[in-house]
Amino acid sequence: MKGTSLVVSVVLFVAVAVLYVLHFTGSGTSEGTPIKAAAGTGGDLKIAYIKADSVLLNYTLSQDLHDEFTKQQEAYTTEYGTKRQSFEKEAAAFQEKLQRGGFLTEQRAVQERDRLLGKEQEIQKLDQELSTKLAKIQQDNNNQILDNMMDYLDRYNEKAGYDYILNGANVLVGPEVNNITADILNALNEEYEATKTE
């Protein structure tokens, strides 16, 4: 089985998705530091940033989805392993029987060999199906987390009025007052916890 860690995948997925500058419109007050706009644009830009990887690693929804994914991955691995182990025992028994001449006819040996080959193909197909299911679950989880974060950022920015909210992975130096990671993470976790109690 080709399983990868959900948290790492989520961080990579969101990091790529959020690398692009997110442009928001709206009015309101900003706690961030205004930045001088390029000459001729007529005004200061209000820019904030979040450390998306920190949000994802500490977002309760992300952790819960990772736990569920791990359970499903373990169940699929067990299912596949059990079937693979059973096949290997049958194949070893067939080989032993063949070597000691235990089949009455050559035709019966060929039938048994063909049955085992069919079973091996079924196991390979199962491996592909389970891997595909896990990849789909992982993609759905990534999308859910990203959608929740983007939805909250849209609502957050209606009040905050930033011109840009950047992914903090690209910010090498910047005033901490522009870092809204903690605010976003706390709000996302509060909203998620509220949905769990409903």
Side-chain angles (χ1 to χ4, degrees):
M1 303 279 308
K2 300 174 190 168
T4 58
S5 173
L6 176 64
V7 174
V8 172
S9 296
V10 168
V11 169
L12 291 174
F13 176 78
V14 172
V16 169
V18 184
L19 283 176
Y20 297 100
V21 176
L22 305 175
H23 180 73
F24 298 96
T25 59
S27 59
T29 61
S30 168
E31 295 178 12
T33 306
I35 298 177
K36 295 291 181 194
T41 58
D44 291 336
L45 294 176
K46 290 181 247 167
I47 297 178
Y49 64 93
I50 63 168
K51 295 180 180 175
D53 54 345
S54 295
V55 171
L56 295 174
L57 289 173
N58 296 296
Y59 186 14
T60 308
L61 171 64
S62 178
Q63 294 166 355
D64 288 351
L65 290 175
H66 175 66
D67 292 345
E68 287 175 33
F69 177 82
T70 301
K71 287 177 188 172
Q72 289 174 314
Q73 187 177 35
E74 289 170 359
Y76 287 170
T77 301
T78 300
E79 179 183 352
Y80 171 78
T82 301
K83 291 188 177 184
R84 185 76 197 174
Q85 192 173 31
S86 172
F87 165 75
E88 287 172 0
K89 284 180 183 176
E90 285 185 50
F94 167 75
Q95 190 68 30
E96 181 186 334
K97 189 174 181 180
L98 186 63
Q99 286 177 350
R100 64 180 164 84
F103 290 100
L104 294 176
T105 65
E106 186 178 330
Q107 182 182 4
R108 179 65 189 109
V110 169
Q111 286 175 341
E112 182 63 10
R113 181 202 65 198
D114 291 346
R115 184 187 74 78
L116 287 172
L117 287 174
K119 190 168 185 178
E120 184 176 33
Q121 288 175 349
E122 287 176 16
I123 291 170
Q124 289 172 346
K125 183 179 177 186
L126 175 67
D127 183 29
Q128 291 172 347
E129 288 173 358
L130 295 179
S131 294
T132 301
K133 284 181 184 178
L134 287 173
K136 171 91 167 74
I137 291 168
Q138 196 170 32
Q139 183 64 42
D140 290 346
N141 289 350
N142 290 347
N143 289 340
Q144 182 180 354
I145 292 165
L146 183 60
D147 289 348
N148 281 8
M149 188 168 73
M150 295 306 296
D151 176 62
Y152 182 76
L153 283 173
D154 283 337
R155 290 183 283 122
Y156 174 87
N157 201 46
E158 286 177 7
K159 295 177 185 172
Y162 290 108
D163 293 305
Y164 296 95
I165 298 178
L166 306 174
N167 179 3
N170 296 328
V171 177
L172 300 176
V173 176
E176 197 57 34
V177 70
N178 291 21
N179 183 356
I180 60 173
T181 305
D183 295 340
I184 301 301
L185 177 61
N186 291 337
L188 284 170
N189 281 333
E190 285 175 16
E191 284 188 357
Y192 177 63
E193 292 300 328
T195 63
K196 287 169 64 172
T197 59
E198 291 176 354

